[in-house]
Amino acid sequence: MNEHIDSRQVEKIIAFQKEHNCKKLDENKTIKCNICGYESEYEFLPYKTRNTNTKQKCPNCYALKRTRLLYYVLEHYTDYLKHDDIRILQTSPTTSLYKRFKSQYHDNYTSSDIQQMPQVDEIINLEEIPYPDNTFDLILSKHVLEHVPDYPKALREIYRVLKPGGKIIFLIPSLDIPKTFEFPQINTPELRSRYYRQFDHLRYFGIENVYKDLEDTGFDTIKNIEKKIPKDDMIYYLLSDEPVYIGIKPEKPKNNIKNIEEDPKINLQTRKNYCSLCENENPERFKDTGSTHDYVCLNCYSRGDDRLIYNEIYFDINEDSIILNFNSSEAMENKFKKYKNYNKNIPEKGFIQKTKLKTTNNEYLDKLQKIQDKSVDFIISNHFLDRQVDDFKILREFNRILKSSGKLLIKETTDLDLEYKIEAPEYNREYRRFFMGNHDTIKVYGKDLLHMCHFAGFNIEYEDPEKQINNLQSITSQRTKAPLIICTKK
Ligand SMILES: [Zn+2]
Ligand SMILES: [Zn+2]
């Protein structure tokens, strides 16, 4: 045991363990660090954080159980360790791996972090990796992606700098939840500590969601590799039991991956004059209409809200999609009327007319109640709820009639700086001065709109409205935090 380590050094390590109250293991039991090879009859050193206090730190190389897990996967399920001429990037410094890999790979192993600290060879922001395409054979990332603001962009960058056939192997805080838990309103160190368990974490990943993110980026994936590890090895090497994610860049790119350069969703941020609705380039900047501070396309007269909404469903709509569009503009009407199922299952033609939306009786609720369960693919509520008295009941109806794969898009008079909505007792044209110039609304929603959507049975998703405004200046220059809310069924 431990022949590869100087015997006086071994004595020192054991004394160190005893100093830290590491107890002797059961008779004939030992644990071993798979990275440095140190084997011990005593518990490993305690490792304490806000969330854990376990004896897991190797007293010789300081490897933690998650580092040993990563190394175990490399050793048993890949053949990287058998080759000396491969290029490796690691996204955070780790003492144990640094020593181990520098001795084998020298300068072909790069240890990086977002800031300078010991054992960091290079400062690298994963959102913009300063390396050419197809550089690395292997990227290792241990609890880093939960800190990266634009995580999808980081995945795209990782994909880009990996060689075809190259792999990213990574660990992140994740749970078996249907969707990654991430909300823009969790935006202070205090809130992050409370919800994500660490002040600088930006999300808690959902396992299936991560695989989907990898596949959407173009990776092939290997799932559940940690479940193949023999139980005896888990105990002997004291390995973490968390999921290990593996993405492989295919030899040939898959053709079902969206070409980012051609994705109008992204291009809108740079192509300031491009209208995704009529697919035309405007000769000048979109025209500011002044009254509602909404930019109008000079080709199709779409407003910013129209483009924002259309942009969100563009890729999902097909010719059979059943669409319900509440409060349509002429541009949206023109865009959608070519779909044969547009506003199809509405009992009465002319149901949605802008002029009638002012009415604040329950006319629409009655009509919605006649629509079948789970029969609609897309519902668009564009300044519709803010004109309705029974808005929550309407949201419940939306939830009922939406297919489980469907989407509800909501853009209403909203000011997220308000905790609760401001509501007028009835329609009166004069209220417009309080309601952002929207003269037929009866309310301004606050954060309660988000809660209403939750309680009505939706998962919601929206971009931080300030970011949205900055990114999409050409879309809308709304004066309050009024997000486009994307709802899917829980
Ligand atoms: Zn060790
Ligand atoms: Zn247009």
Side-chain angles (χ1 to χ4, degrees):
M1 199 161 90
N2 296 325
E3 287 81 11
H4 64 296
I5 308 173
D6 181 274
S7 60
R8 270 169 305 172
Q9 180 64 19
V10 172
E11 275 168 36
K12 263 193 203 166
I13 297 169
I14 294 171
F16 193 44
Q17 284 171 281
K18 287 179 179 168
E19 230 173 83
H20 283 88
N21 295 323
C22 300
K23 295 191 186 69
K24 197 158 192 302
L25 301 166
D26 291 344
E27 203 61 36
N28 297 325
K29 285 265 156 64
T30 57
I31 46 175
K32 184 175 180 176
C33 172
N34 56 351
I35 299 173
C36 69
Y38 176 73
E39 190 166 9
S40 178
E41 295 172 325
Y42 292 86
E43 292 173 322
F44 277 3
L45 298 177
Y47 174 65
K48 238 186 198 172
T49 68
R50 184 173 169 268
N51 304 313
T52 55
N53 182 11
T54 49
K55 289 184 170 163
Q56 55 156 292
K57 196 167 164 181
C58 169
N60 184 40
C61 76
Y62 305 124
L64 299 177
K65 60 182 183 180
R66 62 168 73 132
T67 315
R68 288 192 294 274
L69 171 68
L70 199 61
Y71 193 81
Y72 185 96
V73 168
L74 275 176
E75 196 176 13
H76 290 82
Y77 301 108
T78 75
D79 58 2
Y80 289 114
L81 299 181
K82 293 180 194 135
H83 300 278
D84 297 336
D85 54 349
I86 55 165
R87 196 77 180 83
I88 305 176
L89 174 67
Q90 195 185 334
T91 66
S92 59
T94 310
T95 308
S96 52
L97 291 181
Y98 192 84
K99 281 189 205 158
R100 168 67 189 79
F101 287 151
K102 275 290 174 198
S103 70
Q104 181 174 355
Y105 302 106
H106 311 284
D107 287 346
N108 276 338
Y109 167 73
T110 304
S111 165
S112 76
D113 201 88
I114 190 87
Q115 57 194 352
Q116 193 55 59
M117 56 173 90
Q119 294 169 344
V120 167
D121 297 324
E122 194 175 337
I123 294 175
I124 291 181
N125 173 3
L126 292 180
E127 293 166 357
E128 278 170 54
I129 303 176
Y131 278 95
D133 299 1
N134 311 323
T135 301
F136 296 98
D137 296 277
L138 174 66
I139 296 181
L140 297 172
S141 182
K142 198 165 55 70
H143 287 251
V144 168
L145 288 170
E146 68 274 23
H147 298 269
V148 177
D150 195 343
Y151 146 77
K153 191 173 180 202
L155 283 186
R156 293 199 295 273
E157 276 293 274
I158 287 166
Y159 182 91
R160 183 182 65 76
V161 299
L162 274 174
K163 292 178 189 169
K167 289 191 182 78
I168 161 103
I169 305 182
F170 63 104
L171 307 175
I172 40 176
S174 58
L175 290 171
D176 194 4
I177 46 176
K179 207 161 185 284
T180 290
F181 186 80
E182 178 178 11
F183 295 92
Q185 60 268 48
I186 302 175
N187 56 7
T188 63
E190 293 75 24
L191 286 170
R192 287 178 190 133
S193 296
R194 195 173 308 152
Y195 292 98
Y196 305 143
R197 311 217 332 169
Q198 194 170 309
F199 75 95
D200 56 351
H201 283 186
L202 303 177
R203 60 192 69 88
Y204 224 107
F205 289 94
I207 295 174
E208 281 307 315
N209 217 154
V210 176
Y211 288 124
K212 188 179 174 300
D213 294 339
L214 281 169
E215 282 155 16
D216 285 350
T217 310
F219 288 102
D220 290 328
T221 56
I222 298 176
K223 295 182 184 178
N224 300 324
I225 199 140
E226 69 284 351
K227 292 188 180 147
K228 293 183 186 154
I229 302 174
K231 209 161 172 258
D232 289 348
D233 280 4
M234 295 289 289
I235 297 166
Y236 183 48
Y237 296 115
L238 198 59
L239 306 178
S240 167
D241 60 358
E242 66 195 280
V244 181
Y245 298 92
I246 303 182
I248 307 164
K249 180 170 175 175
E251 295 291 344
K252 270 191 191 157
K254 290 186 249 176
N255 54 14
N256 60 346
I257 300 306
K258 291 172 196 167
N259 183 341
I260 288 152
E261 294 311 311
E262 286 168 10
D263 183 347
K265 236 185 203 170
I266 289 154
N267 266 348
L268 281 177
Q269 296 170 14
T270 47
R271 289 170 66 180
K272 279 202 182 298
N273 307 325
Y274 180 75
C275 173
S276 55
L277 211 68
C278 65
E279 293 164 54
N280 270 307
E281 206 83 41
N282 271 253
E284 293 161 44
R285 205 176 146 75
F286 291 114
K287 193 168 156 42
D288 183 351
T289 54
S291 63
T292 56
H293 286 256
D294 214 354
Y295 290 106
V296 169
C297 167
L298 296 171
N299 295 311
C300 71
Y301 302 103
S302 63
R303 287 169 178 273
D305 282 356
D306 299 333
R307 293 192 293 277
L308 204 59
I309 292 166
Y310 184 68
N311 216 36
E312 201 46 57
I313 52 178
Y314 176 89
F315 283 111
D316 303 326
I317 285 190
N318 63 51
E319 55 174 22
D320 296 321
S321 298
I322 296 173
I323 308 161
L324 276 189
N325 182 16
F326 288 87
N327 196 0
S328 175
S329 68
E330 222 178 300
M332 284 289 246
E333 206 65 40
N334 287 333
K335 190 76 198 179
F336 284 134
K337 69 184 177 197
K338 67 176 186 202
Y339 294 95
K340 61 179 187 283
N341 291 327
Y342 175 54
N343 282 352
K344 170 194 149 193
N345 47 1
I346 294 171
E348 177 190 320
K349 263 209 165 154
F351 170 41
I352 301 159
Q353 284 175 13
K354 199 162 183 176
T355 49
K356 289 173 78 185
L357 284 167
K358 268 183 231 173
T359 54
T360 50
N361 60 27
N362 279 334
E363 188 186 350
Y364 295 97
L365 186 59
D366 296 344
K367 287 176 183 174
L368 280 166
Q369 281 164 349
K370 292 183 184 128
I371 299 176
Q372 272 191 344
D373 290 6
K374 297 184 183 175
S375 60
V376 182
D377 293 295
F378 298 98
I379 303 175
I380 298 164
S381 173
N382 185 7
H383 290 288
F384 170 66
L385 290 173
D386 61 19
R387 289 147 168 82
Q388 305 300 313
V389 177
D390 266 327
D391 46 7
F392 183 67
K393 280 188 190 161
I394 286 175
L395 274 173
R396 293 286 308 159
E397 286 303 306
F398 282 168
N399 190 271
R400 182 184 62 76
I401 65 175
L402 203 62
K403 292 182 185 172
S404 44
S405 59
K407 259 188 191 175
L408 162 67
L409 297 110
I410 299 178
K411 189 77 171 59
E412 303 291 339
T413 311
T414 312
D415 179 353
L416 286 188
D417 288 333
L418 294 170
E419 285 298 321
Y420 303 104
K421 67 185 164 195
I422 301 167
E423 190 164 9
E426 60 185 30
Y427 167 72
N428 180 313
R429 192 179 156 76
E430 292 308 315
Y431 279 122
R432 73 183 185 281
R433 72 184 71 236
F434 306 117
F435 296 155
M436 324 300 156
N438 292 330
H439 55 72
D440 40 12
T441 183
I442 57 167
K443 58 193 119 192
V444 183
Y445 287 104
K447 289 177 189 143
D448 55 334
L449 178 58
L450 307 173
H451 300 308
M452 275 170 59
C453 295
H454 269 300
F455 290 134
F458 292 105
N459 285 312
I460 64 168
E461 185 186 310
Y462 65 93
E463 193 179 3
D464 174 359
E466 288 194 62
K467 234 200 225 165
Q468 198 176 63
I469 294 166
N470 287 336
N471 285 346
L472 304 178
Q473 268 305 334
S474 62
I475 292 276
T476 168
S477 65
Q478 56 197 11
R479 283 164 293 177
T480 59
K481 293 178 191 168
L484 168 65
I485 304 169
I486 301 149
C487 297
T488 49
K489 278 176 96 155
K490 273 182 191 164

